[in-house]
Amino acid sequence: MPSYERASKEISKAVGSVMKRFHGAMADAGVTIDVLTAYAKKDKNGDPTGPAVSLAGYPCIAKIKVISTKDRAAGRADAELLLDGDRWPELADEEQTAVIDHELTHLELSIGENGLRTDDLDRPKLRLRKHDHQFGWFDEVVRRHGRDSIEWQQYEHFTEVGYQQLWLPFVEEGASV
């Protein structure tokens, strides 16, 4: 099992900065985030026995979750951001900003007819937002079925010029990604 600790003040400050810069409505609503770092369990040689952070069985650099009202009442924040503390220092500042932005984008304020919904503690209600696109891929299926596989169809859909320009505007048309 990984070990956990509160993230450094520098990382927590970066999360606040990214929230203000890209997620102003959440910042204005006073959404709070507990930021933790996880470190992979090590074997007797000091090698990791697994990932520090995983989601659906896949290693990931970070994940975020909404904290229950019960845990908020116990003093927790509105959401928890868990970062892979082993890999985090390897990321450039711009990559760290992008990861934080990605995770914060998973959070949505719950808005009702009368505006922002709040819980029993008068804290903003949050819900998790799924990715706009999700890709699943088995190498052996695409090797067996090529262009007839769903994997290949996902690939073609993603690499269509229109989508490439929408998603990757920094790539020149016709350039290989």
Side-chain angles (χ1 to χ4, degrees):
M1 174 171 249
S3 61
Y4 302 93
E5 61 185 47
R6 281 210 172 271
S8 68
K9 288 181 182 179
E10 178 182 273
I11 294 173
S12 293
K13 185 177 175 184
V15 171
S17 176
V18 171
M19 184 185 294
K20 286 177 188 162
R21 183 173 172 196
F22 299 110
H23 304 275
M26 280 196 302
D28 292 345
V31 170
T32 57
I33 310 285
D34 280 337
V35 186
L36 304 174
T37 48
Y39 299 90
K41 182 179 177 184
K42 308 271 195 271
D43 64 18
K44 62 183 178 184
N45 298 320
D47 296 321
T49 60
V53 180
S54 62
L55 185 62
Y58 292 98
C60 58
I61 191 72
K63 63 183 180 181
I64 198 160
K65 69 178 186 177
V66 175
I67 300 295
S68 70
T69 303
K70 176 184 167 193
D71 288 339
R72 290 179 189 193
R76 297 287 313 272
D78 301 318
E80 175 187 283
L81 174 59
L82 181 63
L83 303 171
D84 182 328
D86 296 319
R87 294 172 48 202
W88 190 254
E90 299 170 2
L91 300 178
D93 291 346
E94 296 82 6
E95 292 171 314
Q96 291 177 351
T97 296
V99 168
I100 294 167
D101 186 22
H102 174 102
E103 294 306 322
L104 292 178
T105 300
H106 278 294
L107 297 178
E108 287 186 328
L109 293 169
S110 180
I111 307 295
E113 294 174 7
N114 299 322
L116 179 64
R117 290 185 172 146
T118 57
D119 63 16
D120 295 341
L121 304 169
D122 205 30
R123 300 294 311 142
K125 279 192 175 185
L126 299 170
R127 61 178 169 246
L128 286 180
R129 174 183 171 193
K130 292 182 180 183
H131 293 123
D132 295 336
H133 304 276
Q134 191 67 32
F135 300 95
W137 191 282
F138 287 109
D139 293 337
E140 63 189 72
V141 171
V142 77
R143 279 194 296 271
R144 286 194 292 259
H145 302 281
R147 293 180 185 278
D148 294 325
S149 69
I150 295 299
E151 289 83 351
W152 188 269
Q153 293 169 25
Q154 289 177 25
Y155 164 76
E156 284 185 329
H157 186 69
F158 182 77
T159 58
E160 287 177 1
V161 174
Y163 284 111
Q164 185 175 343
Q165 289 174 350
L166 174 67
W167 295 335
L168 309 171
F170 52 87
V171 177
E172 291 184 31
E173 189 172 336
S176 107
V177 182

